[in-house]
């Protein structure tokens, strides 16, 4: 999708176990369209080979400050000028100390001193080293100078400890880089969101529908807009204001919604099906109001078109996110939906009395083939931001 097309990123890899993840950072930056040059510190080179990084970046890896061939053309200055952004991932405690002290004792620290580009640092170290007073002071110094610290995350560490010190995951680092350049992780992308219920007419005055308020879908549309996307919101009948900057098309029935979605699909990069589309509709729409003559009335219902499944069948179609509202067996139903309908992600929530329909709160867990992420319980706005970030990460991951 190229959200980093032709951006020039200098990636520094320091001496930490997490250096092996540097390979993934290179791969994801390249997949997003960036041009990447890698500078490996001596410590970094003990954990990952230059050959791996060269193969992934498509360019020779830079290691030596005093390499006569490179320095004939003032290699360190040339690299520093070339970079639009310097990302150091992972940064060891030692590397942070050298940067904070302003040392220029290897190619990476020298390039950092020489560059006018912003510098982002993703620390990775044992939690006690991260908590040490010296590291805290170095971090403070770097931040004072405008260096952007990314993380670290908390969790299990290679040394067996658990706590803050893990390098932020590569996909998240690359999403942050994309945000830095584009003003949003979805800048330049077109997103379509369906939201709300549908109404299936029985006669001119009656219909079948459901309790969906449309709030989750509207929150997703607003979050996608905040993330820089162009957004079309295909809404069922709801009583909600259109989020700022979002184009809205109102629809009524499932058939109506399907037609609107299909006619707006060209050029769409992401499709989020948050609408609670009616599964059945009256087999016949009576032309006149039904009279209450019979003691018992039977209704014949037929299936409505499945909008998500129809979009999923389009060749070269968008990245697709479905929703699943369940009253039990959340994961099983969500994974079943992934296989049956073919979306890339399914955002699933347990619906009950306290959340889900007509509430500002929800709890979402997102599933994809081979993974999941629990976004926790939060406002629908916060969950929508989390979902959008995850969509951007998954798209980068899928290349
Ligand atoms: O199979 P189920 O209806 O539970 O799947 C829900 C997902 O499918 C939601 O993303 C919903 O918007 C979408 N859907 C659809 N068209 C239908 C039924 C559901 O797009 N007719």
């Amino acid at each position: 999708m190229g959200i980093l097309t032709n951006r020039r990123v200098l990636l520094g890899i320091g001496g930490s176990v997490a250096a092996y993840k540097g390979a993934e950072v290179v791969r994801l930056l390249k997949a997003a369209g960036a041009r990447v040059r890698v500078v490996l510190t001596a410590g970094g080179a003990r954990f990952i080979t230059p050959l791996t990084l060269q193969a992934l970046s498509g360019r020779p890896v830079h290691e030596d400050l005093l390499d006569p061939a490179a320095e004939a053309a003032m290699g360190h200055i040339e690299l520093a000028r070339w970079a639009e952004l310097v990302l150091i991932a992972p940064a060891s405690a030692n590397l942070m100390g050298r940067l904070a002290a302003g040392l220029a004792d290897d190619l990476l620290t020298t390039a950092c001193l020489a560059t006018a580009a912003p510098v982002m640092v993703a620390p990775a170290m044992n939690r006690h080293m991260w908590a040490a007073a010296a590291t805290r002071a170095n971090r403070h110094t770097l931040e004072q100078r405008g260096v952007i610290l990314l993380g670290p995350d908390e969790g299990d560490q290679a040394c067996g400890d658990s706590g803050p010190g893990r390098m932020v995951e590569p996909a998240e680092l690359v999403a942050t880089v994309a945000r830095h350049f584009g003003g949003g992780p979805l800048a330049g992308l077109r997103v379509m969101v369906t939201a709300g219920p549908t109404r299936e007419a029985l006669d001119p005055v009656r219909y079948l529908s459901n309790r969906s308020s449309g709030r989750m879908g509207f929150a997703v549309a607003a979050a996608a807009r905040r993330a820089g996307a162009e957004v079309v919101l295909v809404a069922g009948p709801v009583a909600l204001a259109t989020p700022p900057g979002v184009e809205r098309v109102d629809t009524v029935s499932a058939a109506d919604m399907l037609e609107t979605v299909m006619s707006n699909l060209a050029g769409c990069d992401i499709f989020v099906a948050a609408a609670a589309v009616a599964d059945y509709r009256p087999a016949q729409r009576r032309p006149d109001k039904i009279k209450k003559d019979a003691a018992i009335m039977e209704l014949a219902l037929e299936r409505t078109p499945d909008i998500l499944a129809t979009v999923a069948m389009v060749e070269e179609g968008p990245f697709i996110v479905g929703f699943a509202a369940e009253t039990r067996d959340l994961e099983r139903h969500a994974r079943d939906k992934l296989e049956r309908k073919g979306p890339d992600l399914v955002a699933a929530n347990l619906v009950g009395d306290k959340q889900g329909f007509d509430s500002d709160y929800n709890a979402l867990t997102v599933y994809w083939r081979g993974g999941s992420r629990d976004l926790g319980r939060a406002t629908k706005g916060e969950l929508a931001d989390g979902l959008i970030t995850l969509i951007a990460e998954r798209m980068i991951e899928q290349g």
Side-chain angles (χ1 to χ4, degrees):
M1 64 172 169
I3 50 177
L4 287 173
T5 299
N6 286 332
R7 294 298 187 175
R8 300 187 305 273
V9 180
L10 186 67
L11 176 66
I13 298 183
S16 149
V17 190
Y20 79 93
K21 293 188 184 172
E24 185 67 357
V25 177
V26 177
R27 189 183 72 76
L28 296 176
L29 286 170
K30 293 287 289 182
R35 293 160 65 190
V36 184
R37 291 193 189 178
V38 180
V39 178
L40 195 55
T41 68
R46 303 293 294 271
F47 289 95
I48 185 164
T49 72
L51 197 58
T52 305
L53 299 165
Q54 176 175 317
L56 289 167
S57 68
R59 302 193 61 118
V61 168
H62 307 268
E63 291 182 83
D64 194 358
L65 176 61
L66 302 175
D67 172 356
E71 285 307 308
M74 299 293 279
H76 64 284
I77 302 294
E78 196 264 328
L79 269 180
R81 280 203 192 119
W82 175 87
E84 284 180 282
L85 176 78
V86 179
L87 170 65
I88 304 181
S92 63
N94 177 53
L95 180 51
M96 282 180 67
R98 291 190 292 124
L99 288 167
L103 296 188
D105 58 348
D106 69 359
L107 182 58
L108 182 56
T109 48
T110 307
C112 284
L113 279 185
T115 194
V119 178
M120 292 182 174
V121 169
M125 65 196 71
N126 165 273
R127 70 187 173 102
H128 295 295
M129 294 172 76
W130 174 249
T135 309
R136 284 212 306 272
N138 290 334
R139 169 196 173 164
H140 182 71
T141 304
L142 291 172
E143 282 181 326
Q144 290 284 307
R145 291 191 198 133
V147 169
I148 302 157
L149 265 287
L150 308 177
D153 279 345
E154 286 198 29
D156 292 340
Q157 303 203 296
C159 48
D161 273 355
S162 183
R166 280 172 63 91
M167 189 177 88
V168 170
E169 288 304 324
E172 204 179 319
L173 291 178
V174 175
T176 306
V177 169
R179 225 172 359 253
H180 168 80
F181 279 117
L186 302 188
L189 300 185
R190 196 170 161 82
V191 177
M192 179 154 47
V193 183
T194 66
T198 64
R199 280 182 190 167
E200 311 300 330
L202 199 54
D203 69 15
V205 295
R206 303 183 180 96
Y207 56 79
L208 297 180
S209 192
N210 60 62
R211 285 173 53 200
S212 167
S213 67
R215 280 187 223 173
M216 191 66 228
F218 273 56
V220 171
R225 181 69 199 139
R226 280 197 293 279
E230 226 180 273
V231 183
V232 185
L233 175 58
V234 180
V238 293
L240 293 174
T242 310
V246 167
E247 179 191 334
R248 171 174 179 176
V249 187
D250 284 319
T251 61
V252 179
S253 66
D256 198 12
M257 189 177 267
L258 175 66
E259 195 189 318
T260 306
V261 164
M262 296 313 282
S263 63
N264 280 279
L265 202 60
C268 174
D269 301 288
I270 301 169
F271 175 64
V272 183
V277 183
D279 291 325
Y280 290 91
R281 65 186 169 203
Q284 278 186 333
R285 180 184 188 274
R286 311 282 180 89
D288 293 309
K289 187 176 166 194
I290 302 167
K291 292 294 172 197
K292 50 176 177 294
D293 299 332
I296 291 180
M297 191 179 77
E298 290 191 355
L299 271 183
L301 301 178
E302 65 182 10
R303 289 293 298 270
T304 54
D306 193 305
I307 303 172
L308 192 163
T310 309
V311 173
M313 280 188 306
V314 173
E315 265 182 53
E316 304 277 310
F319 183 93
I320 301 176
V321 184
F323 272 77
E326 306 291 347
T327 49
R328 54 193 292 188
D329 293 337
L330 196 61
E331 172 154 12
R332 187 166 62 80
H333 287 298
R335 296 221 174 269
D336 174 60
K337 215 152 285 186
L338 275 177
E339 294 314 320
R340 218 167 15 87
K341 300 217 213 188
D344 299 279
L345 295 181
V346 167
N349 63 322
L350 273 179
V351 283
D353 297 336
K354 302 230 164 42
Q355 64 194 27
F357 288 130
D358 225 352
S359 157
D360 284 328
Y361 281 85
N362 207 349
L364 281 186
T365 307
V366 187
Y367 298 91
W368 59 91
R369 282 166 213 92
S372 69
R373 185 178 300 172
D374 185 359
L375 299 180
R377 181 176 150 78
T379 65
K380 288 182 176 173
E382 287 162 344
L383 289 171
D385 284 329
L387 180 62
I388 291 296
T389 304
L390 180 58
I391 291 171
E393 286 177 30
R394 294 304 310 157
M395 286 179 79
I396 289 169
E397 190 92 39
Q398 290 182 11

